[in-house]
Amino acid sequence: MEKKPHLVRREFPPREVPSVSLAVLLAAVLLLNALLYLYLNKFYISSGRAEMDPGLCSFGYFKLGTVKNCSPWLSCEAIRREVRKLKCVGEGAVKKVFLSEWKENKVVLSQLTNSELKEDFLHGLKMLKALQSKHVVRLLGYCEQQFTILTEYHPLGSLRGLNETLHIPKYKGMNTWHRRLMLAIDYVSILRYLHSSPLGTLVMCDSNDLDKVLSQYLLTSDFHILVNDLDALPLVNRSAGRLVKCGHRELRGEFVAPEQRWPYGEEVPFEDDLMPPYDEKTDIWKIPDVSNFFLGHVEGSDIVRLHLFDIHAACKKKDPAERPSAQEVLETYRKVLTLLLREAAMPGTREML
């Protein structure tokens, strides 16, 4: 009987990635992570976004430009003698703003225009003095008797001109999704600072529409944001049962938070005394709309919006108590920035591994 030949099954060893190639790949990943860490570290710390700004002077002092030493805030006499008005660059309900000059430095001089609003003006000055930090425009001097405030000049102006600035050839390189997201992070960082300020929980009340919000902030030459107008900044004190109301008139529109709108319907005429007060969560409601402006319509901005969808949905909760804090929004924004920068720096790395 003839024996059938045995079929021999050949085993092929698994294909191996050369150890040298794998080592090179891992080294590249580690290097990219290190570069990303340094980049973000520079953004949060070296660029002046750290919690403690080494460029700040002690209370009552300032330094300007390349000057190393701190000078005391300018007095009424010093402002009268040393500051020269150049031209009017803006006027609001409370004050008129002049581009001015002090010791060959461009500065901003603000003066009260409506005597009926002097309390608002003095409140803004009080806030400006108490809240000096990396988030707030630098105070250089003031004169209460003449209702005058002197602050640092920022040539790019308010955030209302952001898109126009980004179309200037000099700044077109800044018109990217990550630079725009950094501006949104700056904005939320300022809200976080105001909500946990040295004075307590402060609400940004001059924010009834997007244009009004943008007018309250300045764009610096290194593309960061400073809050500039602090005239309407009431204090929430929960332990004392103190909430706030942003003005004495009826607020309308989807931009303001639901709790800021008249709750009793069209059939009941608005009465300020019947309007319920609210807290700082009104600022949280507005974050998605302001951030949407910052993100614009550049390549990659829709991907950022997708990653921010959940936190923005939470900001729009009708019940203020269900909205996140500014700190929680800030943490989410920073995580999204880190994630997207890592993915941009290492496309396809996951598949390679």
Side-chain angles (χ1 to χ4, degrees), residues 78-319:
I79 291 175
R80 184 190 65 79
R81 189 179 63 251
E82 301 173 14
V83 176
R84 182 170 64 96
K85 289 181 185 177
L86 299 177
K87 63 178 179 178
C88 179
V89 292
E91 184 173 1
V94 178
K95 53 186 177 285
K96 185 177 286 189
V97 180
F98 297 89
L99 174 63
S100 305
E101 190 175 57
W102 175 73
K103 293 187 177 180
E104 299 183 350
N105 292 291
K106 294 281 181 30
V107 293
V108 173
L109 188 72
S110 302
Q111 292 184 317
L112 178 69
T113 54
N114 186 345
S115 59
E116 294 180 359
L117 297 175
K118 64 181 180 181
E119 293 303 320
D120 291 338
F121 185 90
L122 293 175
H123 176 74
L125 173 58
K126 176 185 175 183
M127 295 293 105
L128 195 54
K129 289 192 290 184
L131 298 175
Q132 284 295 289
S133 68
K134 66 185 177 66
H135 299 295
V136 179
V137 69
R138 189 168 301 169
L139 178 64
L140 309 179
Y142 62 92
C143 180
E144 287 194 35
Q145 296 93 318
Q146 299 297 321
F147 296 100
T148 298
I149 300 173
L150 194 70
T151 54
E152 188 174 17
Y153 172 63
H154 292 279
L156 295 182
S158 80
L159 287 176
R160 285 189 294 190
L162 174 64
N163 288 324
E164 289 76 11
T165 297
L166 288 171
H167 282 96
I168 297 173
K170 179 180 177 181
Y171 297 110
K172 277 188 176 181
M174 297 287 192
N175 196 17
T176 62
W177 68 262
H178 63 276
R179 277 289 177 180
R180 285 177 168 271
L181 179 54
M182 286 177 178
L183 292 177
I185 288 174
D186 274 0
Y187 169 68
V188 178
S189 296
I190 292 171
L191 291 184
R192 189 274 307 269
Y193 175 67
L194 295 178
H195 292 177
S196 57
S197 82
L199 302 177
T201 301
L202 299 166
V203 182
M204 196 67 179
C205 265
D206 263 345
S207 56
N208 298 336
D209 57 62
L210 178 62
D211 192 64
K212 188 64 174 176
V213 171
L214 299 175
S215 71
Q216 309 302 302
Y217 297 87
L218 294 172
L219 181 64
T220 67
S221 296
D222 62 347
F223 266 70
H224 287 294
I225 296 175
L226 298 172
V227 62
N228 180 52
D229 196 330
L230 304 174
D231 295 345
L233 210 61
L235 178 68
V236 170
N237 188 338
R238 286 190 182 80
S239 60
R242 184 194 305 162
L243 299 178
V244 304
K245 286 191 285 188
C246 291
H248 304 288
R249 294 180 295 178
E250 182 178 1
L251 300 179
R252 297 175 178 268
E254 293 298 315
F255 188 83
V256 297
E259 64 271 22
Q260 292 183 281
R261 302 172 211 152
W262 180 243
Y264 303 117
E266 294 289 340
E267 62 278 4
V268 180
F270 177 82
E271 287 187 43
D272 185 44
D273 291 341
L274 298 179
M275 180 67 200
Y278 33 83
D279 62 17
E280 78 280 2
K281 290 300 183 72
T282 58
D283 288 335
I284 304 300
W285 171 273
K286 298 159 189 172
I287 287 176
D289 299 290
V290 179
S291 290
N292 187 55
F293 167 80
F294 284 133
L295 292 174
H297 300 285
V298 298
E299 183 180 357
S301 62
D302 286 341
I303 298 298
V304 179
R305 287 185 178 90
L306 184 64
H307 280 79
L308 297 177
F309 180 85
D310 288 342
I311 192 68
H312 283 172
C315 291
K316 290 293 187 179
K317 294 280 189 181
K318 188 172 183 180
D319 182 356

